[in-house]
Amino acid sequence: MDKRIFEQGQTLWSVLDTAIDGIIIINERGIIQIVNQAVEKMFDYHAQEIISKNISMLMPSPDHERHDSYLSNHIRTGEAKIIGIGREVTALAKSGKTFPIRLAVSEVFINDNRYFTGILHDLSAQKHAEEQLLNLTYELENKVQLRTEELGEVVNKLLSVNKQLQTEIAERIEIERELKINEEKMQILLDREKELNQMKSRFVSMASHEFRTPLSTILSSAALIDKYVLEGQQDKRSKHVYKIKNAVTNLTNILNDFLSLEKLEEGLVGTKMEVIHVNSFCQELVEEMNSILKQGQRIELICLDNEMEIVSDTRCLYNSMINLMSNAIKYSDEDQVIRFEIQLQEDIIEFKIKDDGIGIPADEQSKLFTRFYRARNATNIQGTGLGLHIVSRYMDLIGGNVRFKSDEGVGSEFTLEIPL
Ligand SMILES: Nc1ncnc2c1ncn2[C@@H]1O[C@H](COP(=O)(O)OP(=O)(O)OP(=O)(O)O)[C@@H](O)[C@H]1O
Ligand SMILES: [Mg+2]
């Protein structure tokens, strides 16, 4: 086959020669017959350098070595591996560089000679673009991965900050709770202080009133004693000395009441438990009380067991009984008997002080142990209204109890219950 055949189709060839895809025609032995300009450009060969050479020179291994056998196989068996199919193969340029091409091969017979026409489409640009796309995708994936990791870190940081915050919040709540408790404690102390102050000022105003009567009694009795100078007036002098003594006792009682209450309220009173011989303890008490009895009054002590002993706080017990006893004296008339009974119950000892005095109005009995409370039938008799309150506080201290029953105009019975 020579070029003459193609010269006749000059026009046709110029079309093929300038086609964008490469065109190579080889004979059945694989020898290149003709190539167009695109092939020259693609492989960087001049046409003269490759025409009449084996097409395998444009292929890298292993096609380079195997192409001849591809051809002879095809011619022998007629089996088409590439002809009429077209596929992607690797081409080898003059420089030794390989590049991808899409190859479509067709078979043609001219004057009983077999030729193969290959149309080559350079895939370098497409491959490059694909590679770039791949790279970009890869980069993108990397970036996404990086960002995901960064995001993860940020989330982790946030989580730990969150945890820290939660701990801080919990700590603050705890501190606030403690503050609140402290505040409540302070409030209680403050309230107590306030109450104590109120009590003191109330006492001062009450005392200034209560002190007036005994003080004027003392003054007038002293003035009268001064006048009773004659021998035969001893009776009168004695009467006024008695009045003075009584008034002084009153004053002392008021002061004692207040001082013991103040100590009790401030929690300054402690207890000292000791063995008390009941009978002698009560007799001593009665003796002391005898000095403040009204005209004709007497205390009847009834203690069946002479040897009875208890363990308690002497002072608490003594002060409580003095309070009850002085009430019985104060709120009953001259010539009356005050009974002082000691009774042993199962696990308590009872000290009962009974009088036939003015009694307590039923509707006022529930308020009797309140500080400064005084029943309406007692207002013309001296008193501060602190005595029974103090007794109940003493009972709290030694684990005892005070109860009473009373009928107005008939009399009262106060009982101290002391645990054995
Ligand atoms: N034996 C009693 N008979 C009648 N009333 C009583 C008797 N004991 C107490 N009371 C009533 O109870 C009130 C409170 O008694 P409390 O001993 O606390 O105070 P007070 O006797 O008035 O004063 P003080 O502080 O001087 O004892 C009295 O004011 C009186 O009304
Ligand atoms: Mg009293």
Side-chain angles (χ1 to χ4, degrees):
M1 167 71 102
D2 61 52
K3 214 173 175 182
R4 266 182 304 126
I5 299 164
F6 298 105
E7 278 167 2
Q8 288 167 359
Q10 190 64 48
T11 323
L12 186 61
W13 175 246
S14 20
V15 172
L16 296 178
D17 194 28
T18 55
I20 288 167
D21 281 349
I23 300 172
I24 301 177
I25 298 176
I26 57 169
N27 65 11
E28 59 184 3
R29 280 178 294 114
I31 303 303
I32 298 171
Q33 304 298 306
I34 194 161
V35 296
N36 72 350
Q37 290 174 34
V39 171
E40 288 180 305
K41 217 155 117 199
M42 238 183 258
F43 290 87
D44 204 19
Y45 278 118
H46 277 300
Q48 295 92 314
E49 291 179 274
I50 49 176
I51 286 175
S52 303
K53 302 264 170 60
N54 193 306
I55 183 76
S56 65
M57 74 176 290
L58 300 181
M59 302 167 190
S61 287
D63 290 341
H64 176 76
E65 293 82 13
R66 293 179 189 163
H67 191 259
D68 283 350
S69 61
Y70 294 162
L71 261 183
S72 51
N73 264 353
H74 170 68
I75 290 163
R76 195 160 30 84
T77 61
E79 211 177 277
K81 286 245 172 77
I82 189 167
I83 291 144
I85 300 166
R87 65 173 191 216
E88 232 174 74
V89 295
T90 310
L92 179 67
K94 184 180 176 182
S95 63
K97 218 176 90 184
T98 56
F99 58 97
I101 56 166
R102 168 156 290 280
L103 175 63
V105 180
S106 52
E107 202 172 9
V108 62
F109 289 91
I110 302 169
N111 300 335
D112 288 338
N113 288 320
R114 192 199 294 254
Y115 297 97
F116 297 99
T117 310
I119 296 180
L120 293 65
H121 181 72
D122 189 349
L123 293 176
S124 299
Q126 193 184 323
K127 283 278 164 200
H128 184 65
E130 272 175 16
E131 249 165 47
Q132 261 184 332
L133 199 69
L134 217 69
N135 279 346
L136 279 179
T137 312
Y138 179 71
E139 253 174 56
L140 205 69
E141 271 172 6
N142 271 351
K143 267 187 190 160
V144 168
Q145 174 74 18
L146 208 75
R147 289 279 181 278
T148 311
E149 277 166 16
E150 282 171 2
L151 210 68
E153 259 170 49
V154 169
V155 168
N156 277 346
K157 263 185 205 162
L158 272 176
L159 280 176
S160 79
V161 166
N162 202 22
K163 211 169 158 193
Q164 219 173 301
L165 272 176
Q166 271 176 345
T167 335
E168 269 174 34
I169 288 172
E171 276 171 8
R172 271 188 203 177
I173 288 175
E174 179 59 20
I175 290 172
E176 265 169 35
R177 203 180 60 88
E178 274 169 23
L179 274 176
K180 214 172 154 200
I181 290 172
N182 280 344
E183 206 177 291
E184 277 165 11
K185 276 187 197 158
M186 291 294 287
Q187 192 56 50
I188 290 170
L189 285 179
L190 212 72
D191 287 349
R192 228 173 77 181
E193 185 69 28
K194 237 186 195 167
E195 218 185 323
L196 217 60
N197 275 340
Q198 273 173 1
M199 189 192 80
K200 281 180 190 167
S201 61
R202 197 154 163 203
F203 177 81
V204 169
S205 59
M206 183 220 48
S208 62
H209 180 258
E210 289 296 305
F211 273 34
R212 223 168 279 156
T213 320
L215 284 176
S216 62
T217 304
I218 291 169
L219 198 66
S220 63
S221 287
L224 285 171
I225 287 171
D226 201 31
K227 281 184 185 160
Y228 297 138
V229 288
L230 298 177
E231 193 73 31
Q233 287 177 321
Q234 181 55 37
D235 265 8
K236 287 180 175 166
R237 281 197 295 270
S238 296
K239 188 180 144 203
H240 287 289
V241 168
Y242 169 79
K243 275 190 175 179
I244 289 174
K245 274 188 187 167
N246 216 23
V248 171
T249 311
N250 254 335
L251 290 174
T252 316
N253 280 346
I254 293 172
L255 282 175
N256 279 344
D257 271 4
F258 180 70
L259 290 178
S260 41
L261 181 59
E262 192 187 26
K263 278 188 190 152
L264 276 168
E265 298 282 358
E266 284 179 349
L268 292 177
V269 180
T271 54
K272 194 174 127 213
M273 294 304 200
E274 55 199 347
V275 176
I276 301 169
H277 185 262
V278 176
N279 200 28
S280 48
F281 174 82
C282 292
Q283 256 162 10
E284 215 173 285
L285 189 82
V286 170
E287 254 164 55
E288 181 159 350
M289 283 293 120
N290 279 339
S291 65
I292 62 155
L293 286 173
K294 287 181 188 165
Q295 190 86 43
Q297 279 185 337
R298 71 186 168 87
I299 299 169
E300 191 183 325
L301 172 64
I302 305 162
C303 180
L304 295 179
D305 184 350
N306 268 340
E307 300 308 315
M308 200 190 304
E309 280 181 340
I310 55 166
V311 175
S312 195
D313 182 286
T314 314
R315 194 172 44 131
C316 290
L317 210 56
Y318 199 76
N319 285 345
S320 301
M321 286 191 206
I322 287 207
N323 260 304
L324 296 181
M325 201 74 85
S326 63
N327 278 351
I329 295 168
K330 192 158 61 164
Y331 299 114
S332 51
D333 276 340
E334 295 181 349
D335 300 322
Q336 289 200 327
V337 178
I338 289 142
R339 277 178 300 280
F340 184 19
E341 288 178 23
I342 293 96
Q343 285 173 10
L344 195 64
Q345 302 294 350
E346 253 176 52
D347 50 357
I348 53 169
I349 179 166
E350 288 183 343
F351 296 88
K352 277 188 202 296
I353 293 152
K354 290 186 199 171
D355 67 65
D356 304 316
I358 61 171
I360 300 151
D363 60 326
E364 291 190 85
Q365 292 188 359
S366 61
K367 300 171 211 158
L368 231 54
F369 293 97
T370 316
R371 273 191 326 222
F372 298 107
Y373 192 84
R374 309 202 65 220
R376 59 177 175 271
N377 61 344
T379 43
N380 56 350
I381 303 169
Q382 273 221 322
T384 62
L386 289 175
L388 286 181
H389 177 74
I390 291 171
V391 171
S392 71
R393 297 299 297 264
Y394 277 137
M395 287 303 109
D396 289 345
L397 273 179
I398 60 172
N401 185 39
V402 52
R403 61 184 163 83
F404 71 93
K405 50 187 181 190
S406 180
D407 285 315
E408 190 177 2
V410 179
S412 312
E413 179 188 299
F414 280 81
T415 307
L416 293 182
E417 303 171 338
I418 309 299
L420 283 174

